[in-house]
Amino acid sequence: MSLDLAAIRRDFPILDQQVNGHPLVYLDNAASSQKPNQVIDAISDYYRQDNANVHRGVHRLSQRATDAYESARDKVRGFVNAKSDKEIIFVRGATEAVNLVAQSFVRPMLAKGDDVLISHMEHHANIVPWQMLCEQTGANLKVIPMTTKGELDLSGLNELLNERTKIMAIGHVSNALGTINPVKDMIAQAHAKGIPVLVDGAQAVPHMAVDVQDLDCDFYVFSGHKMFAPTGIGALYGKQDLLETMPPWQGGGDMILSVSFAHTQYNELPYKFEAGTPHIAGAIGLAAAIDYMHTIGIAKIAQHEHDLLVAATARLEALDGIRIIGTAEHKASVLSFMIEGVHPHDVGTIFDQQGVAIRTGHHCAQPVMQFFGIPATARASFAFYNTFEEIDALVDAIKKVQELFA
Ligand code: C6P
């Protein structure tokens, strides 16, 4: 069941370099993952051989670009097990997808006094678009609380889901804490009251198999760059019957069937939501990343990352002066921590001098930091190409920080 890490790491040329005189140890995968040659080659092959605009030309290159773009959509459909390609909208990333749903699906039905329900551990991308919407409409932003372990406190969910609630928008996996939330049960509870649900899967799709039909979510959003694909591409899954009822979000080319000054007839799904020339190479790169993940095996990816997380957690727990932030029972490969007496930014700088790349800061989840009464954390986040030796480097870097601040 174990992965051939040496072979896998050969696919990621960027990992083979020295930083500040040390071998690079890349543990910032939750911010953005690295790209294998297979993805880089798919993008450069597209630009070398097929580059043209899509859905527009009768010439051969445009047809090839269109075929590649649409087959990428079908690949994404299969990746999340959506029923139809019409349910997959290409967007810039998770952030854009949440904004699209907020403005196109929720805004028309939101009135003063209604509620939008999110959770305390959301990324800003799943807070601010809803807050803006509430400001625009006079609706209220309601928040599912969390516990000191970094798990959602669902004891009051039944009351939070009420006749005023127009949508529940929740993260599948917390980027700051690593918590895997019980979204399937939460969706069932919301649906029992007829409330639609958006799931932010930005930190889930790189690490676990996601089946939108099994979850029965109404919307699921994610970014390509956290799952070994390029930046600037991501996907919004939406149930077809809901997407059909929604007005376009942005206007322009490709999202129309016909335009006159008197009237514009909008295109059918999924194009209705894809105004302008899309990120064709990005979609092709995303499809290549999905192929790559399947070649390795998503179950094997999940197992290896779990083993890394368990091992790293045990190593950090054994050290003095370390506080782990986020100790949920079910976690994906995120390890947030504090080193006693040292600001996380200093931790990040000293780590970098050791060649160890982590993220320090509030991780765009400031309410999480406020909850724990801290300004920031140091966050190590693992991908399937990380090794157990890299956990040694993480621990050595922590010891170095503690030596310098002793
Ligand atoms: N989190 C992190 O370091 P975009 O920027 O649109 O690709 O993804 C936004 C986003 C949405 N939801 C979650 C749970 C996320 O983690 C992110 C991005 C990165 O944690 C960059 S801030």
Side-chain angles (χ1 to χ4, degrees):
M1 184 74 180
S2 66
L3 299 178
D4 183 350
L5 288 182
I8 287 173
R9 289 177 71 89
R10 279 196 294 276
D11 289 336
F12 290 83
I14 199 168
L15 296 176
D16 183 21
Q17 63 174 292
Q18 302 273 311
V19 169
N20 292 323
H22 298 270
L24 168 66
V25 174
Y26 189 78
L27 300 178
D28 194 17
N29 296 286
S32 204
S33 60
Q34 299 304 346
K35 325 302 173 197
N37 281 324
Q38 289 80 346
V39 169
I40 298 167
D41 290 348
I43 296 165
S44 80
D45 287 351
Y46 164 72
Y47 280 124
R48 283 178 205 285
Q49 292 159 23
D50 302 325
N51 176 54
N53 213 326
V54 290
H55 308 141
R56 285 160 172 84
V58 291
H59 63 79
R60 185 58 60 88
L61 262 52
S62 175
Q63 285 169 11
R64 289 210 299 256
T66 303
D67 288 349
Y69 182 68
E70 291 306 328
S71 86
R73 192 190 307 280
D74 189 55
K75 190 81 69 181
V76 174
R77 182 204 58 72
F79 182 62
V80 294
N81 194 32
K83 274 189 201 147
S84 157
D85 287 2
K86 293 181 179 190
E87 299 181 315
I88 303 297
I89 316 292
F90 281 124
V91 288
R92 278 194 299 138
T95 304
E96 187 172 66
V98 176
N99 279 276
L100 191 164
V101 175
Q103 291 300 325
S104 174
F105 178 64
V106 184
R107 187 172 184 168
M109 62 175 171
L110 206 62
K112 193 169 164 34
D114 284 341
D115 291 350
V116 169
L117 182 60
I118 60 171
S119 91
H120 202 120
M121 66 176 75
E122 298 311 316
H123 183 279
H124 296 167
N126 201 27
I127 301 175
V128 183
W130 304 114
Q131 216 164 29
M132 290 163 65
L133 189 60
C134 288
E135 279 166 16
Q136 288 156 358
T137 59
N140 307 305
L141 191 66
K142 292 287 169 71
V143 181
I144 303 167
M146 69 178 180
T147 68
T148 49
K149 286 178 83 176
E151 290 172 339
L152 290 181
D153 173 358
L154 298 175
S155 56
L157 184 60
N158 202 34
E159 288 70 48
L160 284 167
L161 292 166
N162 57 52
E163 63 290 346
R164 292 185 306 278
T165 316
K166 292 293 177 284
I167 188 141
M168 177 169 77
I170 43 167
H172 200 165
V173 172
S174 157
N175 70 317
L177 304 167
T179 313
I180 303 174
N181 288 318
V183 289
K184 189 173 171 182
D185 291 349
M186 294 172 74
I187 292 164
Q189 225 176 314
H191 283 178
K193 297 189 175 180
I195 297 164
V197 182
L198 175 143
V199 178
D200 171 1
Q203 297 291 351
V205 286
H207 309 295
M208 61 182 76
V210 169
D211 182 332
V212 291
Q213 292 189 65
D214 179 55
L215 291 176
D216 196 29
C217 53
D218 300 281
F219 300 99
Y220 196 95
V221 309
F222 61 94
S223 302
H225 69 97
K226 294 183 198 294
M227 49 170 287
F228 321 104
T231 50
I233 189 75
L236 163 66
Y237 157 80
K239 282 185 180 161
Q240 188 175 342
D241 56 337
L242 298 180
L243 292 173
E244 296 284 7
T245 64
M246 291 160 53
W249 182 46
Q250 295 177 328
D254 230 25
M255 51 72 73
I256 56 92
L257 284 178
S258 68
V259 177
S260 75
F261 289 123
H263 178 69
T264 288
Q265 197 184 349
Y266 303 130
N267 208 339
E268 57 194 23
L269 289 176
Y271 315 111
K272 181 171 81 172
F273 293 107
E274 294 182 0
T277 301
H279 187 5
I280 306 161
I284 290 167
L286 179 56
I290 291 171
D291 280 342
Y292 189 82
M293 288 178 74
H294 281 313
T295 305
I296 294 188
I298 295 182
K300 284 187 182 175
I301 288 175
Q303 185 62 50
H304 177 64
E305 291 176 350
H306 179 73
D307 294 347
L308 287 170
L309 180 72
V310 169
T313 305
R315 296 286 300 278
L316 264 62
E317 278 172 351
L319 297 172
D320 286 332
I322 299 292
R323 176 181 172 202
I324 294 177
I325 308 292
T327 50
E329 199 176 322
H330 300 291
K331 280 181 70 173
S333 55
V334 166
L335 190 51
S336 259
F337 60 94
M338 311 277 291
I339 303 182
E340 207 173 275
V342 190
H343 194 284
H345 289 168
D346 293 330
V347 174
T349 308
I350 297 164
F351 271 42
D352 182 53
Q353 286 159 7
Q354 312 303 307
V356 179
I358 58 163
R359 182 170 174 190
T360 58
H362 53 61
H363 315 298
C364 300
Q366 279 185 304
V368 172
M369 304 299 129
Q370 289 151 10
F371 176 86
F372 286 101
I374 50 180
T377 75
R379 181 187 69 180
S381 52
F382 304 101
F384 57 79
Y385 41 67
N386 288 124
T387 65
F388 290 94
E389 290 73 46
E390 290 180 312
I391 297 176
D392 295 338
L394 169 69
V395 171
D396 289 347
I398 292 175
K399 287 183 178 160
K400 182 85 187 170
V401 173
Q402 289 178 322
E403 258 169 52
L404 289 171
F405 279 80

mmCIF file of all heavy atoms in Angstrom, residues 151-192:
data_model
loop_
_atom_site.group_PDB
_atom_site.id
_atom_site.type_symbol
_atom_site.label_atom_id
_atom_site.label_comp_id
_atom_site.label_asym_id
_atom_site.label_seq_id
_atom_site.Cartn_x
_atom_site.Cartn_y
_atom_site.Cartn_z
ATOM 1 N N GLU A 151 -13.153 21.464 16.827
ATOM 2 C CA GLU A 151 -14.241 20.742 16.156
ATOM 3 C C GLU A 151 -15.480 21.617 16.187
ATOM 4 O O GLU A 151 -15.641 22.442 17.101
ATOM 5 C CB GLU A 151 -14.518 19.415 16.886
ATOM 6 C CG GLU A 151 -13.393 18.412 16.694
ATOM 7 C CD GLU A 151 -13.541 17.154 17.548
ATOM 8 O OE1 GLU A 151 -14.257 17.191 18.565
ATOM 9 O OE2 GLU A 151 -12.929 16.146 17.181
ATOM 10 N N LEU A 152 -16.365 21.451 15.227
ATOM 11 C CA LEU A 152 -17.602 22.222 15.266
ATOM 12 C C LEU A 152 -18.459 21.740 16.425
ATOM 13 O O LEU A 152 -18.566 20.533 16.666
ATOM 14 C CB LEU A 152 -18.371 22.074 13.946
ATOM 15 C CG LEU A 152 -17.739 22.763 12.737
ATOM 16 C CD1 LEU A 152 -18.599 22.565 11.498
ATOM 17 C CD2 LEU A 152 -17.512 24.251 12.995
ATOM 18 N N ASP A 153 -19.055 22.695 17.134
ATOM 19 C CA ASP A 153 -20.004 22.356 18.200
ATOM 20 C C ASP A 153 -21.393 22.353 17.557
ATOM 21 O O ASP A 153 -21.978 23.399 17.299
ATOM 22 C CB ASP A 153 -19.905 23.404 19.312
ATOM 23 C CG ASP A 153 -20.974 23.200 20.374
ATOM 24 O OD1 ASP A 153 -21.805 22.262 20.221
ATOM 25 O OD2 ASP A 153 -20.992 23.973 21.339
ATOM 26 N N LEU A 154 -21.882 21.155 17.291
ATOM 27 C CA LEU A 154 -23.128 21.031 16.526
ATOM 28 C C LEU A 154 -24.358 20.890 17.426
ATOM 29 O O LEU A 154 -25.458 20.636 16.927
ATOM 30 C CB LEU A 154 -23.023 19.828 15.567
ATOM 31 C CG LEU A 154 -21.903 19.973 14.518
ATOM 32 C CD1 LEU A 154 -21.768 18.704 13.690
ATOM 33 C CD2 LEU A 154 -22.153 21.174 13.614
ATOM 34 N N SER A 155 -24.153 21.101 18.737
ATOM 35 C CA SER A 155 -25.282 20.896 19.659
ATOM 36 C C SER A 155 -26.431 21.859 19.384
ATOM 37 O O SER A 155 -27.590 21.528 19.614
ATOM 38 C CB SER A 155 -24.819 21.015 21.112
ATOM 39 O OG SER A 155 -24.196 22.267 21.299
ATOM 40 N N GLY A 156 -26.116 23.056 18.855
ATOM 41 C CA GLY A 156 -27.189 24.020 18.607
ATOM 42 C C GLY A 156 -27.555 24.146 17.132
ATOM 43 O O GLY A 156 -28.258 25.083 16.722
ATOM 44 N N LEU A 157 -27.074 23.187 16.306
ATOM 45 C CA LEU A 157 -27.290 23.327 14.851
ATOM 46 C C LEU A 157 -28.776 23.344 14.498
ATOM 47 O O LEU A 157 -29.203 24.093 13.606
ATOM 48 C CB LEU A 157 -26.559 22.207 14.093
ATOM 49 C CG LEU A 157 -26.628 22.294 12.570
ATOM 50 C CD1 LEU A 157 -26.018 23.599 12.052
ATOM 51 C CD2 LEU A 157 -25.931 21.107 11.901
ATOM 52 N N ASN A 158 -29.534 22.530 15.198
ATOM 53 C CA ASN A 158 -30.957 22.445 14.892
ATOM 54 C C ASN A 158 -31.651 23.807 15.020
ATOM 55 O O ASN A 158 -32.495 24.164 14.190
ATOM 56 C CB ASN A 158 -31.603 21.409 15.823
ATOM 57 C CG ASN A 158 -32.878 20.888 15.230
ATOM 58 O OD1 ASN A 158 -32.983 20.753 14.009
ATOM 59 N ND2 ASN A 158 -33.854 20.628 16.072
ATOM 60 N N GLU A 159 -31.240 24.586 16.029
ATOM 61 C CA GLU A 159 -31.857 25.912 16.219
ATOM 62 C C GLU A 159 -31.297 26.916 15.203
ATOM 63 O O GLU A 159 -32.008 27.817 14.754
ATOM 64 C CB GLU A 159 -31.587 26.448 17.628
ATOM 65 C CG GLU A 159 -32.369 25.746 18.744
ATOM 66 C CD GLU A 159 -31.890 24.318 19.002
ATOM 67 O OE1 GLU A 159 -30.660 24.114 19.128
ATOM 68 O OE2 GLU A 159 -32.734 23.395 19.039
ATOM 69 N N LEU A 160 -30.008 26.746 14.860
ATOM 70 C CA LEU A 160 -29.412 27.676 13.887
ATOM 71 C C LEU A 160 -30.019 27.489 12.497
ATOM 72 O O LEU A 160 -30.042 28.414 11.680
ATOM 73 C CB LEU A 160 -27.891 27.482 13.829
ATOM 74 C CG LEU A 160 -27.114 28.076 15.013
ATOM 75 C CD1 LEU A 160 -25.676 27.553 15.032
ATOM 76 C CD2 LEU A 160 -27.120 29.604 14.959
ATOM 77 N N LEU A 161 -30.451 26.251 12.217
ATOM 78 C CA LEU A 161 -31.116 25.977 10.940
ATOM 79 C C LEU A 161 -32.613 26.215 11.151
ATOM 80 O O LEU A 161 -33.300 25.394 11.758
ATOM 81 C CB LEU A 161 -30.892 24.521 10.516
ATOM 82 C CG LEU A 161 -29.461 24.127 10.132
ATOM 83 C CD1 LEU A 161 -29.326 22.611 10.081
ATOM 84 C CD2 LEU A 161 -29.075 24.733 8.780
ATOM 85 N N ASN A 162 -33.107 27.340 10.685
ATOM 86 C CA ASN A 162 -34.532 27.632 10.927
ATOM 87 C C ASN A 162 -35.146 28.267 9.683
ATOM 88 O O ASN A 162 -34.494 28.345 8.630
ATOM 89 C CB ASN A 162 -34.688 28.517 12.166
ATOM 90 C CG ASN A 162 -33.892 29.794 12.022
ATOM 91 O OD1 ASN A 162 -34.024 30.501 11.027
ATOM 92 N ND2 ASN A 162 -33.039 30.095 13.002
ATOM 93 N N GLU A 163 -36.374 28.737 9.813
ATOM 94 C CA GLU A 163 -37.105 29.209 8.623
ATOM 95 C C GLU A 163 -36.467 30.476 8.019
ATOM 96 O O GLU A 163 -36.731 30.816 6.871
ATOM 97 C CB GLU A 163 -38.594 29.419 8.935
ATOM 98 C CG GLU A 163 -38.960 30.478 9.965
ATOM 99 C CD GLU A 163 -38.561 30.099 11.404
ATOM 100 O OE1 GLU A 163 -38.246 28.915 11.670
ATOM 101 O OE2 GLU A 163 -38.542 30.995 12.260
ATOM 102 N N ARG A 164 -35.583 31.141 8.788
ATOM 103 C CA ARG A 164 -34.917 32.336 8.237
ATOM 104 C C ARG A 164 -33.667 31.967 7.435
ATOM 105 O O ARG A 164 -33.148 32.761 6.675
ATOM 106 C CB ARG A 164 -34.514 33.292 9.376
ATOM 107 C CG ARG A 164 -35.685 33.948 10.114
ATOM 108 C CD ARG A 164 -35.169 34.956 11.123
ATOM 109 N NE ARG A 164 -34.200 34.367 12.040
ATOM 110 C CZ ARG A 164 -34.526 33.656 13.138
ATOM 111 N NH1 ARG A 164 -35.787 33.447 13.425
ATOM 112 N NH2 ARG A 164 -33.589 33.150 13.917
ATOM 113 N N THR A 165 -33.149 30.729 7.639
ATOM 114 C CA THR A 165 -31.864 30.355 7.040
ATOM 115 C C THR A 165 -32.027 30.092 5.539
ATOM 116 O O THR A 165 -32.764 29.186 5.145
ATOM 117 C CB THR A 165 -31.305 29.079 7.724
ATOM 118 O OG1 THR A 165 -31.470 29.214 9.125
ATOM 119 C CG2 THR A 165 -29.849 28.882 7.385
ATOM 120 N N LYS A 166 -31.296 30.848 4.739
ATOM 121 C CA LYS A 166 -31.438 30.694 3.280
ATOM 122 C C LYS A 166 -30.328 29.850 2.688
ATOM 123 O O LYS A 166 -30.446 29.317 1.588
ATOM 124 C CB LYS A 166 -31.479 32.070 2.604
ATOM 125 C CG LYS A 166 -32.752 32.847 2.935
ATOM 126 C CD LYS A 166 -33.988 32.164 2.316
ATOM 127 C CE LYS A 166 -35.288 32.838 2.662
ATOM 128 N NZ LYS A 166 -35.796 32.587 4.024
ATOM 129 N N ILE A 167 -29.206 29.755 3.397
ATOM 130 C CA ILE A 167 -28.119 28.863 2.952
ATOM 131 C C ILE A 167 -27.212 28.543 4.130
ATOM 132 O O ILE A 167 -27.069 29.367 5.050
ATOM 133 C CB ILE A 167 -27.280 29.481 1.801
ATOM 134 C CG1 ILE A 167 -26.285 28.442 1.238
ATOM 135 C CG2 ILE A 167 -26.517 30.739 2.264
ATOM 136 C CD1 ILE A 167 -26.082 28.453 -0.210
ATOM 137 N N MET A 168 -26.641 27.338 4.111
ATOM 138 C CA MET A 168 -25.549 27.008 5.038
ATOM 139 C C MET A 168 -24.299 26.799 4.168
ATOM 140 O O MET A 168 -24.340 26.033 3.198
ATOM 141 C CB MET A 168 -25.871 25.730 5.830
ATOM 142 C CG MET A 168 -24.727 25.323 6.750
ATOM 143 S SD MET A 168 -25.181 24.006 7.920
ATOM 144 C CE MET A 168 -25.144 22.573 6.870
ATOM 145 N N ALA A 169 -23.212 27.512 4.510
ATOM 146 C CA ALA A 169 -21.964 27.409 3.744
ATOM 147 C C ALA A 169 -20.858 26.985 4.699
ATOM 148 O O ALA A 169 -20.501 27.732 5.617
ATOM 149 C CB ALA A 169 -21.634 28.755 3.097
ATOM 150 N N ILE A 170 -20.335 25.774 4.499
ATOM 151 C CA ILE A 170 -19.382 25.212 5.469
ATOM 152 C C ILE A 170 -18.165 24.610 4.778
ATOM 153 O O ILE A 170 -18.244 24.103 3.664
ATOM 154 C CB ILE A 170 -20.040 24.108 6.329
ATOM 155 C CG1 ILE A 170 -20.904 23.204 5.450
ATOM 156 C CG2 ILE A 170 -20.817 24.703 7.495
ATOM 157 C CD1 ILE A 170 -21.330 21.931 6.117
ATOM 158 N N GLY A 171 -17.055 24.653 5.499
ATOM 159 C CA GLY A 171 -15.819 24.075 4.988
ATOM 160 C C GLY A 171 -15.801 22.567 5.213
ATOM 161 O O GLY A 171 -16.227 22.095 6.267
ATOM 162 N N HIS A 172 -15.284 21.853 4.230
ATOM 163 C CA HIS A 172 -15.142 20.404 4.374
ATOM 164 C C HIS A 172 -13.954 20.100 5.297
ATOM 165 O O HIS A 172 -14.050 19.278 6.194
ATOM 166 C CB HIS A 172 -14.932 19.782 2.985
ATOM 167 C CG HIS A 172 -15.233 18.328 2.910
ATOM 168 N ND1 HIS A 172 -15.394 17.671 1.721
ATOM 169 C CD2 HIS A 172 -15.394 17.382 3.852
ATOM 170 C CE1 HIS A 172 -15.655 16.388 1.954
ATOM 171 N NE2 HIS A 172 -15.651 16.192 3.240
ATOM 172 N N VAL A 173 -12.840 20.811 5.047
ATOM 173 C CA VAL A 173 -11.630 20.663 5.871
ATOM 174 C C VAL A 173 -11.116 22.065 6.199
ATOM 175 O O VAL A 173 -10.997 22.904 5.301
ATOM 176 C CB VAL A 173 -10.537 19.872 5.103
ATOM 177 C CG1 VAL A 173 -9.217 19.893 5.874
ATOM 178 C CG2 VAL A 173 -10.974 18.436 4.845
ATOM 179 N N SER A 174 -10.812 22.302 7.476
ATOM 180 C CA SER A 174 -10.315 23.625 7.881
ATOM 181 C C SER A 174 -8.856 23.802 7.469
ATOM 182 O O SER A 174 -8.016 22.951 7.784
ATOM 183 C CB SER A 174 -10.436 23.785 9.394
ATOM 184 O OG SER A 174 -9.530 24.757 9.858
ATOM 185 N N ASN A 175 -8.552 24.946 6.827
ATOM 186 C CA ASN A 175 -7.176 25.184 6.386
ATOM 187 C C ASN A 175 -6.264 25.549 7.541
ATOM 188 O O ASN A 175 -5.060 25.359 7.475
ATOM 189 C CB ASN A 175 -7.125 26.293 5.333
ATOM 190 C CG ASN A 175 -7.424 27.652 5.928
ATOM 191 O OD1 ASN A 175 -8.342 27.798 6.727
ATOM 192 N ND2 ASN A 175 -6.652 28.654 5.559
ATOM 193 N N ALA A 176 -6.834 26.082 8.632
ATOM 194 C CA ALA A 176 -6.002 26.529 9.752
ATOM 195 C C ALA A 176 -5.803 25.428 10.783
ATOM 196 O O ALA A 176 -4.795 25.412 11.487
ATOM 197 C CB ALA A 176 -6.636 27.751 10.407
ATOM 198 N N LEU A 177 -6.772 24.506 10.876
ATOM 199 C CA LEU A 177 -6.758 23.502 11.944
ATOM 200 C C LEU A 177 -6.645 22.075 11.422
ATOM 201 O O LEU A 177 -6.281 21.170 12.162
ATOM 202 C CB LEU A 177 -8.059 23.601 12.755
ATOM 203 C CG LEU A 177 -8.359 24.971 13.358
ATOM 204 C CD1 LEU A 177 -9.796 25.020 13.863
ATOM 205 C CD2 LEU A 177 -7.383 25.253 14.488
ATOM 206 N N GLY A 178 -7.016 21.874 10.176
ATOM 207 C CA GLY A 178 -7.002 20.528 9.594
ATOM 208 C C GLY A 178 -8.249 19.712 9.870
ATOM 209 O O GLY A 178 -8.397 18.599 9.360
ATOM 210 N N THR A 179 -9.164 20.239 10.663
ATOM 211 C CA THR A 179 -10.377 19.495 11.037
ATOM 212 C C THR A 179 -11.170 19.058 9.805
ATOM 213 O O THR A 179 -11.434 19.879 8.911
ATOM 214 C CB THR A 179 -11.294 20.400 11.886
ATOM 215 O OG1 THR A 179 -10.507 21.023 12.885
ATOM 216 C CG2 THR A 179 -12.447 19.608 12.488
ATOM 217 N N ILE A 180 -11.547 17.783 9.786
ATOM 218 C CA ILE A 180 -12.475 17.303 8.753
ATOM 219 C C ILE A 180 -13.876 17.373 9.361
ATOM 220 O O ILE A 180 -14.152 16.722 10.375
ATOM 221 C CB ILE A 180 -12.162 15.850 8.331
ATOM 222 C CG1 ILE A 180 -10.712 15.736 7.828
ATOM 223 C CG2 ILE A 180 -13.144 15.377 7.257
ATOM 224 C CD1 ILE A 180 -10.267 14.302 7.528
ATOM 225 N N ASN A 181 -14.723 18.175 8.792
ATOM 226 C CA ASN A 181 -16.060 18.366 9.356
ATOM 227 C C ASN A 181 -17.035 17.294 8.858
ATOM 228 O O ASN A 181 -16.914 16.827 7.723
ATOM 229 C CB ASN A 181 -16.585 19.762 8.990
ATOM 230 C CG ASN A 181 -15.858 20.843 9.756
ATOM 231 O OD1 ASN A 181 -15.604 20.688 10.954
ATOM 232 N ND2 ASN A 181 -15.488 21.923 9.084
ATOM 233 N N PRO A 182 -18.019 16.953 9.683
ATOM 234 C CA PRO A 182 -18.998 15.917 9.297
ATOM 235 C C PRO A 182 -20.041 16.497 8.344
ATOM 236 O O PRO A 182 -21.232 16.598 8.678
ATOM 237 C CB PRO A 182 -19.616 15.513 10.645
ATOM 238 C CG PRO A 182 -19.498 16.738 11.497
ATOM 239 C CD PRO A 182 -18.273 17.483 11.034
ATOM 240 N N VAL A 183 -19.591 16.892 7.152
ATOM 241 C CA VAL A 183 -20.473 17.661 6.272
ATOM 242 C C VAL A 183 -21.679 16.847 5.800
ATOM 243 O O VAL A 183 -22.764 17.397 5.638
ATOM 244 C CB VAL A 183 -19.704 18.279 5.064
ATOM 245 C CG1 VAL A 183 -18.808 19.398 5.520
ATOM 246 C CG2 VAL A 183 -18.915 17.249 4.307
ATOM 247 N N LYS A 184 -21.497 15.539 5.620
ATOM 248 C CA LYS A 184 -22.630 14.753 5.104
ATOM 249 C C LYS A 184 -23.814 14.810 6.077
ATOM 250 O O LYS A 184 -24.961 15.040 5.664
ATOM 251 C CB LYS A 184 -22.193 13.302 4.867
ATOM 252 C CG LYS A 184 -23.240 12.497 4.129
ATOM 253 C CD LYS A 184 -22.758 11.119 3.743
ATOM 254 C CE LYS A 184 -23.921 10.320 3.208
ATOM 255 N NZ LYS A 184 -23.585 8.955 2.838
ATOM 256 N N ASP A 185 -23.533 14.633 7.358
ATOM 257 C CA ASP A 185 -24.610 14.701 8.363
ATOM 258 C C ASP A 185 -25.203 16.106 8.429
ATOM 259 O O ASP A 185 -26.417 16.273 8.580
ATOM 260 C CB ASP A 185 -24.069 14.343 9.758
ATOM 261 C CG ASP A 185 -23.686 12.877 9.841
ATOM 262 O OD1 ASP A 185 -24.043 12.128 8.913
ATOM 263 O OD2 ASP A 185 -23.015 12.501 10.820
ATOM 264 N N MET A 186 -24.332 17.108 8.334
ATOM 265 C CA MET A 186 -24.811 18.497 8.433
ATOM 266 C C MET A 186 -25.716 18.834 7.242
ATOM 267 O O MET A 186 -26.720 19.524 7.380
ATOM 268 C CB MET A 186 -23.620 19.462 8.496
ATOM 269 C CG MET A 186 -22.787 19.294 9.765
ATOM 270 S SD MET A 186 -21.271 20.269 9.714
ATOM 271 C CE MET A 186 -21.912 21.920 9.959
ATOM 272 N N ILE A 187 -25.333 18.307 6.076
ATOM 273 C CA ILE A 187 -26.151 18.551 4.874
ATOM 274 C C ILE A 187 -27.528 17.905 5.053
ATOM 275 O O ILE A 187 -28.563 18.513 4.767
ATOM 276 C CB ILE A 187 -25.428 18.002 3.612
ATOM 277 C CG1 ILE A 187 -24.177 18.836 3.315
ATOM 278 C CG2 ILE A 187 -26.361 17.987 2.404
ATOM 279 C CD1 ILE A 187 -23.193 18.173 2.362
ATOM 280 N N ALA A 188 -27.534 16.673 5.572
ATOM 281 C CA ALA A 188 -28.816 15.979 5.770
ATOM 282 C C ALA A 188 -29.698 16.775 6.731
ATOM 283 O O ALA A 188 -30.908 16.913 6.504
ATOM 284 C CB ALA A 188 -28.557 14.568 6.299
ATOM 285 N N GLN A 189 -29.070 17.320 7.768
ATOM 286 C CA GLN A 189 -29.844 18.091 8.759
ATOM 287 C C GLN A 189 -30.426 19.366 8.120
ATOM 288 O O GLN A 189 -31.574 19.722 8.365
ATOM 289 C CB GLN A 189 -28.922 18.476 9.916
ATOM 290 C CG GLN A 189 -29.552 18.241 11.273
ATOM 291 C CD GLN A 189 -28.584 18.539 12.406
ATOM 292 O OE1 GLN A 189 -27.429 18.125 12.369
ATOM 293 N NE2 GLN A 189 -29.053 19.256 13.415
ATOM 294 N N ALA A 190 -29.621 20.029 7.295
ATOM 295 C CA ALA A 190 -30.103 21.248 6.621
ATOM 296 C C ALA A 190 -31.203 20.896 5.626
ATOM 297 O O ALA A 190 -32.236 21.575 5.545
ATOM 298 C CB ALA A 190 -28.948 21.954 5.921
ATOM 299 N N HIS A 191 -30.988 19.825 4.871
ATOM 300 C CA HIS A 191 -31.985 19.446 3.856
ATOM 301 C C HIS A 191 -33.312 19.040 4.476
ATOM 302 O O HIS A 191 -34.372 19.245 3.883
ATOM 303 C CB HIS A 191 -31.439 18.313 2.973
ATOM 304 C CG HIS A 191 -30.457 18.811 1.952
ATOM 305 N ND1 HIS A 191 -29.807 17.982 1.070
ATOM 306 C CD2 HIS A 191 -30.016 20.056 1.657
ATOM 307 C CE1 HIS A 191 -29.005 18.694 0.290
ATOM 308 N NE2 HIS A 191 -29.113 19.963 0.640
ATOM 309 N N ALA A 192 -33.245 18.485 5.684
ATOM 310 C CA ALA A 192 -34.498 18.106 6.358
ATOM 311 C C ALA A 192 -35.387 19.333 6.546
ATOM 312 O O ALA A 192 -36.596 19.210 6.684
ATOM 313 C CB ALA A 192 -34.182 17.454 7.697
#
